[in-house]
Amino acid sequence: MSKKQKCEEDNTVTHSNMASEPIPSVAADAVLVQSVEMPADSVKVQGYDFNQGVDYRKILQSYLTSGFQATNFGLAIDEINKMLDKKAEPRKRDEDESTEKHDPRERRDTNCTIFLGYTSNLISSGLRETLRFLAQHNLVDCLVSTAGGIEEDFIKCLANTYLGDFHLSGRDLRSKGINRIGNLLVPNDNYCKFEDWINPILDQMLDEQNTQGVNWTPSKMIARLGKEIGNPDSVYYWAYKNNIPVFSPGLTDGSIGDMIYFHSYKNPGLKLDIAEDIRLINSLAVRAAHTGMIIVGGGLVKHHICNANLMRNGADYSVFINTSQEFDGSDSGARPDEAISWGKIKCSARPVKLYCEATLVFPLIVAETFAQRVSLPHTVKSKEDSPDEQPQEIIK
């Protein structure tokens, strides 16, 4: 007797006042379908057992086998660790490979060039400190953000951003000169302070353009602002210190653009060359031995990094973190498989998209990847080894 027949016999309908009868075959055929054996390497779904106590690392590690976006979280950690493992390997050069420098900014030549992109709201949030950690310890090779993602970092060095509420009245806030970013509040005076700080720098840039022939680009301007801010709380201070190029092709689409606009009336003539920057970011990808993309958010930063990697027929490693969906055809919502179709991710790659709001997960991802591979401040033995002055090399 087969298993199915046995199930049918066991489930025969029996009542005291009526004779037993078999289950309808159409129902039995639909419900009692036999399974094939699962492959031997199938992974069992299992979450964290709190009877073991509270061990946060083990909790995070259990996400990989928990299912849904928890599993994608675990896969994202694995993918980033693969980038870092590849980065730690010595770079091998082919005999016919160009002797031209791998990185026009003359950074340390590594086996995997990591592109990190993020949107402006993440700099406005507390994620700024996580992003600063990555720049401070020289853990990525290229940053891409929007105009707001640049200026809000400098503005936070001049004045505070505050917690608010998603439901505060826009009309009421406007009457008080308070700007809302989600549940964050930015007094408009912050931008006035930013104008006072940046205008003398714009004057200097224009003078150097006219007297020294400096060809300013968005990335050169960001590096200059990072130098001028001189504040270790700043992401771009550390990018300047560690020679990490920062690209923002839409740099005028924000308060910096407002300042450049006003400056063009007071002291006209400053120019920004976006053509030089597109050659630089594309060259970073073309000359890289391997590349990894970590893109937190969507829009301009996602496409700019992916398009640079198209120039080398795709990135080797990729992690996308955003809440966008693909049903509307947007690039922000596009899954990695769409990028493979364009040649922006290699066909052999195993990219990961994590559908999640970034402030919830990105610090935890960094905790399980980058932060495991550097000498952290509490391990420093002397002032000479201080991470504030000497960027930490990545370790295996």
Side-chain angles (χ1 to χ4, degrees):
M1 180 181 295
S2 71
K3 291 182 180 178
K4 182 176 177 180
Q5 290 172 326
K6 182 68 168 58
C7 288
E8 290 174 350
E9 181 178 284
D10 291 344
N11 287 281
T12 298
V13 178
T14 305
H15 295 286
S16 58
N17 296 327
M18 60 185 296
S20 65
E21 56 182 311
I23 294 172
S25 61
V26 63
D29 290 343
V31 175
L32 304 175
V33 176
Q34 287 186 279
S35 302
V36 299
E37 291 293 328
M38 292 295 293
D41 59 352
S42 296
V43 178
K44 174 185 173 183
V45 173
Q46 187 164 3
Y48 183 76
D49 181 1
F50 281 94
N51 287 309
Q52 301 175 18
V54 178
D55 185 324
Y56 289 104
R57 285 213 69 193
K58 288 184 178 178
I59 292 170
L60 294 179
Q61 290 164 1
S62 75
Y63 278 28
L64 186 63
T65 57
S66 292
F68 308 135
Q69 292 309 300
T71 290
N72 283 8
F73 172 90
L75 292 173
I77 287 172
D78 286 352
E79 184 77 351
I80 292 173
N81 277 326
K82 289 175 186 175
M83 294 181 204
L84 297 176
D85 289 343
K86 184 60 66 174
K87 190 176 187 66
E89 295 175 2
R91 177 172 177 167
K92 299 178 182 178
R93 292 188 178 276
D94 297 328
E95 289 184 4
D96 60 348
E97 186 177 350
S98 171
T99 57
E100 187 176 6
K101 285 187 179 296
H102 158 57
D103 188 333
R105 291 293 173 92
E106 299 185 359
R107 285 177 49 75
R108 183 169 61 90
D109 198 7
T110 70
N111 199 35
C112 185
T113 299
I114 298 178
F115 295 77
L116 172 63
Y118 46 88
T119 48
S120 67
N121 56 324
L122 303 182
I123 287 287
S124 299
S125 76
L127 224 58
R128 176 201 184 212
E129 280 62 44
T130 302
L131 297 168
R132 185 212 63 215
F133 172 85
L134 298 177
Q136 177 182 355
H137 293 280
N138 207 11
L139 295 170
V140 295
D141 302 286
C142 169
L143 299 176
V144 179
S145 193
T146 57
I150 305 302
E151 65 208 19
E152 292 294 331
D153 176 69
F154 297 122
I155 290 169
K156 279 186 164 184
C157 293
L158 305 172
N160 293 326
T161 297
Y162 299 93
L163 284 174
D165 189 278
F166 285 102
H167 303 292
L168 293 174
S169 166
R171 293 181 182 85
D172 186 44
L173 290 173
R174 180 61 178 169
S175 70
K176 297 175 180 177
I178 304 294
N179 304 292
R180 183 170 67 83
I181 304 170
N183 63 348
L184 311 179
L185 299 176
V186 187
N188 207 59
D189 285 349
N190 291 16
Y191 298 96
C192 299
K193 293 175 182 177
F194 181 58
E195 181 179 15
D196 292 341
W197 175 74
I198 199 173
N199 267 331
I201 301 172
L202 296 178
D203 287 337
Q204 293 169 17
M205 289 172 58
L206 177 58
D207 180 66
E208 291 170 21
Q209 173 187 295
N210 293 336
T211 62
Q212 302 174 31
V214 176
N215 185 51
W216 289 106
T217 67
S219 67
K220 287 179 185 176
M221 181 178 181
I222 295 164
R224 177 60 171 271
L225 296 177
K227 175 183 179 181
E228 295 289 346
I229 199 67
N231 189 326
D233 291 337
S234 166
V235 175
Y236 306 115
Y237 165 79
W238 287 108
Y240 160 73
K241 290 272 286 184
N242 291 329
N243 213 12
I244 302 170
V246 183
F247 298 98
S248 185
L251 187 62
T252 56
D253 186 29
S255 184
I256 288 179
D258 299 343
M259 301 304 109
I260 292 174
Y261 169 69
F262 295 144
H263 187 266
S264 72
Y265 285 92
K266 300 174 184 177
N267 194 2
L270 181 64
K271 296 179 176 62
L272 292 177
D273 182 358
I274 61 172
E276 185 177 318
D277 264 4
I278 193 63
R279 176 158 179 167
L280 176 55
I281 190 172
N282 287 355
S283 296
L284 291 176
V286 169
R287 297 168 187 161
H290 303 86
T291 62
M293 304 190 298
I294 304 171
I295 304 175
V296 192
L300 178 147
V301 300
K302 182 170 183 274
H303 188 268
H304 203 55
I305 291 175
C306 287
N307 203 68
N309 278 271
L310 167 63
M311 301 301 153
R312 65 185 308 278
N313 201 29
D316 300 276
Y317 311 96
S318 302
V319 171
F320 298 165
I321 304 171
N322 62 57
T323 57
S324 297
Q325 307 290 319
E326 68 173 346
F327 66 86
D328 59 0
S330 67
D331 184 71
S332 294
R335 293 182 297 109
D337 189 65
E338 184 174 308
I340 291 175
S341 79
W342 286 89
K344 297 171 182 177
I345 297 175
K346 290 190 181 299
C347 293
S348 58
R350 300 293 297 272
V352 179
K353 176 169 180 177
L354 173 58
Y355 292 84
C356 195
E357 198 274 296
T359 59
L360 287 170
V361 297
F362 194 60
L364 301 178
I365 289 173
V366 169
E368 286 296 292
T369 54
F370 294 100
Q372 298 295 322
R373 298 171 182 249
V374 295
S375 299
L376 296 175
H378 62 272
T379 66
V380 173
K381 297 179 181 179
S382 67
K383 291 183 179 179
E384 287 74 18
D385 296 327
S386 172
D388 286 343
E389 296 301 328
Q390 298 184 10
Q392 303 298 299
E393 294 289 338
I394 190 168
I395 60 175
K396 294 183 181 181

